[in-house]
Amino acid sequence: MGTYKLAKRLLKSAKIENQKLVVVTDNYELAIGEAFLRAGKEITNTNFYNLDSFGHRPLFGVPEKIMKDLEDADLLISIIQKISDVNTDEYLTVRSPLTNLKQKNPKLRIGQLLSITEEQFNEIFSYDPKEVRELNNKIFNLIQKSKKVHITTPAGTDIECEISKDMLW
């Protein structure tokens, strides 16, 4: 399944019909961003922004035009590459402000695909969203009742973490 079809499937599973979608991307992630734009326009009211069109990056903040548009948006899909230099880190100036928008717009749902290649996108999202959601719900329910999590895989992953009761889900 190609990038466009996967983007469309993800948007349909988000039940975005008759709502407002905002897609924010950049030149590095443009193919994925344009797939969401095309799919979004077929489903709902969709606005599209390329961060690179707002000037030299890294940017010192999210452009005001985007922030204004997100005030009444229902879904933000953010597909951007991390850009930084010695003075500015877009994690702090762009990514974090986008994530924190729920404080200003409580109905906003946010999907972030950060520093992902088109190949990675196609591999990751080729799985059935319903099956992924069911697995996520099982993991979520287990973790909420846990104080510690220990994860191992045949490839050698061996991680143990404590779960804070203050963690926001």
Side-chain angles (χ1 to χ4, degrees), residues 3 15 22 39 66 92 107-108 120 155 161:
T3 306
K15 297 179 175 40
V22 175
I66 298 174
L92 300 173
K107 72 174 182 172
L108 181 66
Q120 290 168 329
C161 355

Side-chain angles (χ1 to χ4, degrees), residues 14-26:
K15 297 179 175 40
I16 192 70
E17 295 85 0
N18 302 313
Q19 296 183 10
K20 182 177 175 183
L21 167 65
V22 175
V23 178
V24 177
T25 192
D26 59 22

